[in-house]
Amino acid sequence: MQTGSRWRLGMVAVRARRDREQAATIAKYEQGHQGVALSEPEEEDDDSGRLFPDRLGFLHEKMLLQDSVLGTKQKQMETRRLQKWVKMLKNYTKYCDSKKFHRSCFKGIPSQVRGSIWMLMLDVNTKKAQNVGKYKAMKEQSRLQSTPFDQINWPVRGSFRNHLLFQERNGARQQALLDVLMAYTVYNPEVGCGQGLSHLVALLLMWLSEEDTFWALVQLMENKKYAMSGLYTRGSPKLKTLQNHLGDIVHRTLPALEQHLEQQGLNLQDCTAHWFTQCFLDVAPFPLALRMWDIFVLEGQHVLTTMAYTMLKVHRKRLLKMTRDHLQEFLQESLKQVWTPGEDIVIKQLQASKHELRKLHCLLPPQAPAVGLKTSHLKSVLGSPPYRGDSPSLKPAGVIALRGPQPWVPSPTSSCLAIRSLRQLQLSRMLQDGRSECGTAFRFRRRACGREEEQQLLSGG
């Protein structure tokens, strides 16, 4: 009894200390919001050299050439582009579905109107009008929760500290970032607020107000066009779907790279998780990642796997020359610093990848189970799919390798598993088994026989 009492007293003391620390941290954020907070000693910047902000607000030790010298022609071109965007902004309902609007988004949205365009594409104002006063109530309620605060405060401290808006510790924009994440944990407790989500919210805060950022985040999580919540919920089901989809794409289009990764013993999924959770903000140079984000808001979730495929395709020659350690370090850390192609070239590659995957019917992840068919019925029709791969050590027990060259067989999670491919798979398996029945004769027999005879026919009975 005494041991239990001491344990309870100890837990009460821990909670009290944690609440005091939380209150002190929130007070620092409040002071920063009023413009009187100072940077913490351990995080003070080195004032020995001046830092120069670029056109997007990121700080550099030297002024970038493209920011210091803008030619007259480039300024005139940007002015004309801005005028076109202002015209489309005033008549958004007229232009939103036009080819002109789509082409302009692929060229990049000017910073002066980016926030307004995002608001319209995400339909933020409608969501705000349906929930008047709700954000303020959730923000106040989130201050009473201690566990989410501990999990969110650390990602907030490390989000875009080299940007003007987030450079100051406990500053106004850092407080807004903390408040949006805390309020969202009240709105959707299933979502975990890690570094990836913190980066995403910080990106929105660069162009939107605090409340607009919150409802834009809600739209990105809930709208089926984006469906991002599965990237951050427990188990990350959307992340697994996207990674499996990328693996199937690589298998079909980059077989040499897939074979090289297998020879080096490297699993692509282990190196690409942060690509999706951080939406490439820590993988590509920020101007390129920003243009990719414009396209993502325009077109939706297929852009994530298309961009991942484009990144592998652009760097495939370099990847084929690397060993395991260099591959892992390159894909996880140094990829951001080695982009040699210009932004326009990469965006053109992204468009080419989009058309390529559309022709292969692999643009979107699958909707499981297959449309109109139950999983049990798919198994009864297809049976066990042929094993894909030649390594004896990786073959499951009881699997017999088929003779001859093997056609590509999509995995259960592949977006290429379409209803119209079922007949092709059936016929290819019949031919591999040495049967001569195919085409019209098989279709007539299939129509004439019952369900049991059909299953016997497909199984070779």
Side-chain angles (χ1 to χ4, degrees):
M1 292 294 291
Q2 293 180 353
T3 303
S5 300
R6 291 196 191 100
W7 180 83
R8 284 192 293 271
L9 290 173
M11 291 302 298
V12 170
V14 169
R15 292 193 188 98
R17 184 174 69 252
R18 185 172 59 188
D19 291 341
R20 289 194 298 271
E21 292 174 354
Q22 177 177 338
T25 304
I26 292 176
K28 290 181 180 179
Y29 279 110
E30 293 290 348
Q31 292 175 355
H33 185 67
Q34 298 169 7
V36 297
L38 298 175
S39 298
E40 295 181 359
E42 67 272 14
E43 297 183 0
E44 288 184 351
D45 297 323
D46 184 9
D47 294 330
S48 58
R50 179 183 173 188
L51 297 178
F52 298 89
D54 61 17
R55 302 178 68 189
L56 296 173
F58 286 89
L59 300 171
H60 304 272
E61 294 181 355
K62 297 180 180 180
M63 182 177 292
L64 301 182
L65 179 62
Q66 61 268 31
D67 294 325
S68 59
V69 180
L70 282 178
T72 304
K73 291 184 178 180
Q74 185 176 356
K75 290 181 179 179
Q76 293 176 350
M77 182 184 66
E78 291 185 356
T79 301
R80 288 194 300 268
R81 287 186 62 240
L82 180 59
Q83 291 173 350
K84 293 178 181 179
W85 272 102
V86 171
K87 180 180 178 180
M88 290 189 291
L89 183 60
K90 293 179 179 179
N91 301 276
Y92 178 74
T93 54
K94 175 183 176 181
Y95 289 101
C96 62
D97 295 326
S98 65
K99 292 182 179 179
K100 178 181 179 180
F101 185 81
H102 281 244
R103 287 196 304 267
S104 300
C105 285
F106 272 86
K107 292 179 181 179
I109 304 175
S111 293
Q112 296 91 327
V113 296
R114 177 172 278 117
S116 301
I117 295 296
W118 284 358
M119 291 270 290
L120 290 171
M121 288 196 291
L122 293 170
D123 200 15
V124 173
N125 288 328
T126 301
K127 198 70 175 179
K128 282 176 60 179
Q130 295 171 351
N131 299 274
V132 178
K134 191 171 183 179
Y135 172 70
K136 183 178 180 181
M138 290 186 294
K139 185 168 70 171
E140 293 175 354
Q141 182 180 349
S142 67
R143 297 293 179 88
L144 304 177
Q145 301 179 3
S146 57
T147 303
F149 179 85
D150 297 334
Q151 298 172 356
I152 294 171
N153 189 35
W154 282 106
V156 167
R157 293 163 68 98
S159 294
F160 293 122
R161 292 302 303 278
N162 60 336
H163 193 277
L164 280 173
L165 294 177
F166 301 96
Q167 180 188 23
E168 183 184 8
R169 182 73 182 110
N170 304 321
R173 238 27 185 172
Q174 275 204 354
Q175 184 195 6
L177 176 57
L178 179 74
D179 288 339
V180 170
L181 291 172
M182 290 286 290
Y184 194 78
T185 60
V186 176
Y187 183 85
N188 186 1
E190 296 181 359
V191 171
C193 298
Q195 191 68 61
L197 189 58
S198 179
H199 270 57
L200 170 59
V201 175
L203 172 67
L204 295 174
L205 281 169
M206 292 179 189
W207 278 274
L208 303 178
S209 66
E210 180 180 327
E211 185 173 359
D212 290 342
T213 295
F214 176 83
W215 294 116
L217 177 63
V218 170
Q219 292 289 74
L220 290 168
M221 294 293 178
E222 295 181 352
N223 194 313
K224 293 181 180 179
K225 181 178 179 180
Y226 312 102
M228 296 186 69
S229 61
L231 290 171
Y232 309 104
T233 53
R234 181 176 298 178
S236 303
K238 181 64 175 290
L239 175 60
K240 295 177 181 177
T241 300
L242 293 176
Q243 288 186 312
N244 289 335
H245 186 209
L246 178 61
D248 290 328
I249 291 172
V250 171
H251 178 79
R252 295 197 67 181
T253 59
L254 300 172
L257 179 60
E258 182 190 44
Q259 183 180 6
H260 179 66
L261 293 175
E262 291 178 354
Q263 290 174 350
Q264 297 298 322
L266 186 67
N267 187 355
L268 190 61
Q269 294 184 355
D270 296 337
C271 303
T272 57
H274 67 293
W275 292 12
F276 299 109
T277 57
Q278 297 187 9
C279 298
F280 304 98
L281 294 174
D282 246 3
V283 180
F286 190 80
L288 174 59
L290 189 59
R291 289 185 63 176
M292 186 280 299
W293 182 258
D294 291 339
I295 299 170
F296 173 75
V297 177
L298 173 70
E299 297 201 342
Q301 57 180 306
H302 80 82
V303 176
L304 294 177
T305 45
T306 306
M307 185 61 184
Y309 168 55
T310 302
M311 293 172 68
L312 294 174
K313 187 168 62 171
V314 168
H315 297 287
R316 67 184 182 278
K317 292 183 179 180
R318 183 178 305 198
L319 293 171
L320 289 172
K321 299 178 182 178
M322 293 183 179
T323 59
R324 174 188 169 87
D325 293 338
H326 289 93
L327 280 167
Q328 193 166 5
E329 192 271 338
F330 180 83
L331 293 173
Q332 290 183 334
E333 299 178 11
S334 62
L335 183 57
K336 187 174 183 178
Q337 285 78 34
V338 297
W339 281 88
T340 51
E343 297 170 27
D344 293 333
I345 296 176
V346 177
I347 295 301
K348 288 180 179 179
Q349 288 279 355
L350 178 65
Q351 290 178 293
S353 299
K354 172 187 170 183
H355 295 312
E356 179 185 356
L357 297 178
R358 178 174 288 162
K359 288 182 180 179
L360 294 173
H361 307 288
C362 295
L363 189 59
L364 286 171
Q367 297 293 333
V371 179
L373 290 178
K374 297 181 179 179
T375 305
S376 59
H377 182 57
L378 280 175
K379 290 182 179 179
S380 66
V381 173
L382 295 176
S384 299
Y387 174 73
R388 187 177 72 189
D390 299 322
S391 176
S393 61
L394 298 177
K395 293 183 180 180
V399 174
I400 301 176
L402 300 176
R403 297 180 180 179
Q406 302 299 314
W408 179 79
V409 180
S411 66
T413 59
S414 172
S415 60
C416 302
L417 182 57
I419 303 303
R420 61 183 178 181
S421 68
L422 299 181
R423 183 66 54 79
Q424 297 175 0
L425 182 58
Q426 296 166 3
L427 295 179
S428 64
R429 292 185 63 189
M430 287 170 53
L431 292 174
Q432 291 166 358
D433 290 341
R435 283 174 279 176
S436 60
E437 295 171 293
C438 60
T440 306
F442 174 71
R443 286 197 293 270
F444 277 113
R445 286 195 60 183
R446 186 170 178 232
R447 292 174 183 174
C449 66
R451 182 179 295 274
E452 295 181 359
E453 296 178 9
E454 177 183 354
Q455 293 179 356
Q456 292 178 0
L457 178 61
L458 292 174
S459 61

